[in-house]
Amino acid sequence: MTGQEEGNEQVQLELARLRQEHRDLDAAIDAMVSLGTADSIQIQRLKKRKLVLKDRIKQLEDQTVPDIIA
């Protein structure tokens, strides 16, 4: 395996991990809201973490997709 392929595999693994964490946070937020067990500050923190994850996912996706100049 070349260094590029290995690096791409690492990026794909990181993407999968981040996407799973994003889904888990989404489920946790939904559960807290529906059960009424969390305060608004806690929910806002989780939502902020989701946004950070979304930004990181976008960065990694941009790394893996080659730029196409039209």
Side-chain angles (χ1 to χ4, degrees), residues 4-64:
Q4 174 117 11
E5 290 170 341
E6 191 172 303
N8 192 31
E9 185 177 318
Q10 290 295 325
V11 169
Q12 293 301 324
L13 289 171
E14 180 71 1
L15 273 170
R17 186 188 69 75
L18 292 173
R19 287 177 179 141
Q20 181 62 50
E21 186 177 349
H22 189 271
R23 282 189 298 270
D24 291 346
L25 281 172
D26 203 30
I29 291 167
D30 287 346
M32 289 175 160
V33 169
S34 66
L35 295 174
T37 58
D39 59 36
S40 61
I41 293 173
Q42 186 177 17
I43 291 172
Q44 288 302 318
R45 285 184 185 140
L46 293 176
K47 287 181 177 181
K48 185 175 181 177
R49 175 69 182 146
K50 267 183 59 180
L51 287 174
V52 169
L53 289 172
K54 184 176 180 180
D55 288 344
R56 182 65 181 141
I57 289 168
K58 179 69 174 138
Q59 287 174 341
L60 291 174
E61 287 173 342
D62 288 347
Q63 278 183 4
T64 60

